[in-house]
């Protein structure tokens, strides 16, 4: 895909494939700049459709829905990567899709994604491509337990993964391999996880947001702390790797690069997300321009805005089991910036919203958040 600058003026219509919370926040940012929004999503009253001008209730690969999107929209983007790449090929040919279909084709398949990251000269967690249980037995000799088997497609938030802790666990891998080829990753004894949110315009202009430190619970992102509590050398490596990947993949729009950091300061790329990311939500309050505004600027041909950090920040996800506690604390927590996503059903483990707190004392505020009891591990387990 060749880069070409095309300015989409306010008043135009932006099409968003996918109606989840990322599409909702993307749409709200676009609305501030005067754009109209059309959402393609089969769900009734999905989060993004609640703030859109048009809602096409069709599947993401439904030809009639794609044709309607093409007719209504001046530019089209997407809010998640599990979209049929062939459908995007058709859109790229018949409509303005500045991100192209190739980025989706790469990032929705772990095997292809890892191959392209390696071609960019960026360190990866060591891995093998696995097609059968027998191949696991053949590859696991000489590797320290545990190892992680991941489906090549479709996994997120810990789904589509199996941790193999001993030889007898290998037999449990058949269920994952039933869905197709997998990757078998060595276990990295990492000190922390970080992510880099990078945005690239249609003219190649590139910006990066401050690096976030990510804390997960039960494979779901719990908190992002910014700036990440790590060395400048680690941050320099992370920025360099994100830039190399963005160049290799001819990025347009926003990309999240998730990484592991070891105690010795090594940095390994874990995975990519070709759109605004949960770990970048802090940018709404804490940066001059948010990741959502920046993404809209990139796909619409605007110059990219400043990513300067205005204040250190803590972003904490609100899952279904946290809703009651958060609602109870809102009247006495004026420093909490609360975002609810408008989802119709509250379920344990479902992302219902997030809270961002700006502070100059990260340690003290992290303790205060824990002291509420809303997000403690015990509370999560009981939820």
């Amino acid at each position: 895909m060749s880069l070409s600058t095309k300015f989409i003026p306010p008043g135009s219509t932006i099409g968003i494939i996918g109606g989840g919370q990322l599409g909702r926040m993307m749409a709200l940012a676009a609305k501030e700049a005067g754009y109209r929004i059309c959402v393609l999503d089969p769900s009734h009253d999905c989060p993004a459709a609640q703030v859109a001008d048009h809602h096409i209730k069709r599947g993401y690969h439904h030809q009639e829905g794609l044709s309607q999107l093409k007719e209504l929209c001046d530019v089209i983007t997407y809010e998640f990567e599990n979209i049929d790449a062939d459908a995007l090929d058709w859109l790229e040919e018949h409509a303005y899709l500045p991100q192209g279909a190739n980025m989706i084709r790469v990032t929705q398949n772990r095997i292809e994604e890892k191959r392209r990251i390696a071609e960019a000269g960026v360190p990866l967690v060591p891995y093998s491509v696995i097609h059968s249980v027998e191949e696991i037995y053949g590859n696991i000799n000489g590797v320290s337990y545990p190892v992680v088997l991941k489906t090549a497609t479709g996994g997120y938030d810990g789904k589509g993964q199996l941790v193999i802790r001993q030889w007898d666990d290998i037999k449990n891998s058949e269920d994952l391999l039933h869905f197709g080829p997998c990757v078998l990753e060595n276990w990295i004894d990492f000190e922390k996880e970080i992510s880099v949110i990078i945005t690239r315009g249609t003219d190649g202009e590139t910006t990066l947001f401050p690096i976030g430190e990510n804390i997960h619970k039960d494979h779901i992102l719990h908190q992002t702390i910014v700036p990440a509590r790590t060395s400048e050398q680690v941050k320099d490596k992370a920025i360099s790797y994100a830039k190399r990947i963005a160049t290799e993949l001819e990025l347009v729009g926003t990309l999240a690069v998730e990484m592991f950091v070891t105690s010795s300061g090594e940095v390994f790329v874990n995975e990519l997300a070709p759109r605004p990311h949960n770990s970048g939500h802090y940018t709404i309050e804490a940066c001059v321009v948010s990741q959502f505004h920046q993404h809209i600027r990139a796909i619409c041909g605007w110059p990219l805005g400043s990513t300067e950090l205005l204040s250190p920040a803590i972003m904490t996800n609100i899952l279904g089991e946290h809703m009651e506690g958060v609602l109870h604390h809102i009247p006495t927590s004026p420093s909490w910036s609360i975002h609810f996503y408008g989802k119709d059903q509250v379920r344990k483990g479902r992302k219902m919203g997030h809270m961002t707190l700006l502070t100059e004392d990260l340690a003290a505020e992290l303790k205060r958040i824990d002291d509420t009891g809303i997000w403690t591990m015990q509370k999560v387990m009981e939820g």
Side-chain angles (χ1 to χ4, degrees):
M1 183 184 66
S2 60
L3 294 174
S4 59
T5 302
K6 181 178 180 180
F7 177 63
I8 306 298
S12 304
T13 299
I14 298 173
I16 302 175
I17 302 175
Q21 64 262 24
L22 297 177
R24 178 190 182 96
M25 289 181 275
M26 199 184 293
L28 289 170
K31 286 293 227 178
E32 288 183 20
Y35 290 98
R36 298 179 68 80
I37 300 295
C38 179
V39 171
L40 174 66
D41 191 285
S43 303
H44 173 71
D45 198 35
C46 56
Q50 294 169 14
V51 297
D53 300 281
H54 306 282
H55 180 195
I56 302 171
K57 297 178 189 175
R58 300 285 186 180
Y60 309 121
H61 60 280
H62 194 282
Q63 187 58 52
E64 182 180 341
L66 294 171
S67 296
Q68 289 182 51
L69 196 68
K70 173 185 79 73
E71 293 300 323
L72 288 170
C73 300
D74 300 287
V75 59
I76 297 171
T77 185
Y78 44 78
E79 64 119 28
F80 74 127
E81 55 267 41
N82 290 323
I83 309 167
D84 181 57
D86 291 338
L88 287 186
D89 280 334
W90 183 88
L91 269 180
E92 188 174 8
E93 183 178 348
H94 294 89
Y96 184 46
L97 182 75
Q99 294 159 276
N102 184 60
M103 179 65 79
I104 286 291
R105 186 167 275 106
V106 169
T107 55
Q108 70 184 195
N109 186 299
R110 283 192 173 98
I111 297 171
E112 179 65 10
E113 179 179 282
K114 289 177 181 297
R115 184 183 71 81
R116 294 298 297 275
I117 292 171
E119 288 180 353
V122 172
L124 281 160
V125 176
Y127 73 99
S128 302
V129 178
I130 300 296
H131 298 85
S132 66
V133 176
E134 290 71 29
E135 287 185 1
I136 300 179
Y137 287 113
N139 281 275
I140 210 162
N141 289 327
V143 175
S144 299
Y145 292 108
V147 293
V148 185
L149 186 71
K150 299 179 179 180
T151 55
T153 59
Y156 68 98
D157 285 348
K159 298 177 177 65
Q161 299 185 20
L162 171 69
V163 179
I164 299 173
R165 302 183 185 278
Q166 57 186 358
W167 185 266
D168 287 346
D169 292 339
I170 296 176
K171 63 180 181 294
N172 299 324
S173 62
E174 291 184 0
D175 289 344
L176 291 189
L177 287 162
H178 174 74
F179 294 101
C182 294
V183 294
L184 184 70
E185 294 182 355
N186 291 12
W187 188 271
I188 294 293
D189 187 17
F190 60 89
E191 184 179 65
K192 60 186 58 184
E193 297 181 52
I194 62 173
S195 58
V196 178
I197 311 292
I198 183 169
T199 310
R200 193 164 180 252
T202 54
D203 61 353
E205 181 188 6
T206 301
T207 62
L208 296 98
F209 286 96
I211 297 172
E213 174 185 342
N214 299 325
I215 299 170
H216 289 78
K217 287 185 178 180
D218 298 331
H219 304 289
I220 299 173
L221 182 64
H222 165 55
Q223 279 179 331
T224 297
I225 301 164
V226 186
R229 297 168 295 181
T230 191
S231 70
E232 292 304 315
Q233 291 84 353
V234 164
K235 292 178 181 179
D236 289 344
K237 286 181 186 178
I239 289 169
S240 172
Y241 296 163
K243 286 180 176 179
R244 287 190 213 172
I245 292 169
T247 300
E248 169 70 23
L249 297 181
E250 295 185 296
L251 172 68
V252 171
T254 300
L255 175 73
V257 185
E258 298 180 74
M259 308 180 192
F260 295 137
V261 180
T262 69
S263 58
S264 62
E266 293 180 283
V267 179
F268 297 92
V269 170
N270 179 31
E271 60 186 16
L272 310 177
R275 33 75 180 172
H277 190 256
N278 195 168
S279 66
H281 291 350
Y282 77 89
T283 62
I284 298 173
E285 283 83 18
C287 293
V288 173
V289 169
S290 78
Q291 63 168 344
F292 300 102
H293 288 90
Q294 196 80 308
H295 182 74
I296 296 301
R297 284 171 169 265
I299 64 168
C300 291
W302 289 37
L304 301 184
S306 168
T307 59
E308 177 188 355
L309 187 68
L310 301 175
S311 168
I314 302 165
M315 188 287 301
T316 306
N317 270 332
I318 302 170
L319 306 183
E321 59 266 35
H322 306 140
M323 285 287 288
E324 183 179 351
V326 170
L327 291 172
H328 176 75
H329 276 77
I330 286 177
T332 57
S333 304
S335 59
W336 291 9
S337 294
I338 301 289
H339 298 254
F340 287 128
Y341 303 148
K343 294 183 179 179
D344 56 352
Q345 295 183 2
V346 178
R347 295 196 302 268
K348 180 182 178 181
R350 192 182 196 195
K351 294 174 184 173
M352 304 302 298
H354 71 268
M355 180 272 283
T356 301
L357 178 62
L358 305 184
T359 177
E360 294 296 331
D361 192 340
L362 291 170
E365 290 300 338
L366 284 166
K367 184 178 185 304
R368 288 192 184 98
I369 291 170
D370 284 345
D371 287 347
T372 66
I374 299 170
W375 290 279
T376 61
M377 183 58 69
Q378 182 66 29
K379 199 77 173 179
V380 171
M381 295 302 291
E382 291 175 353

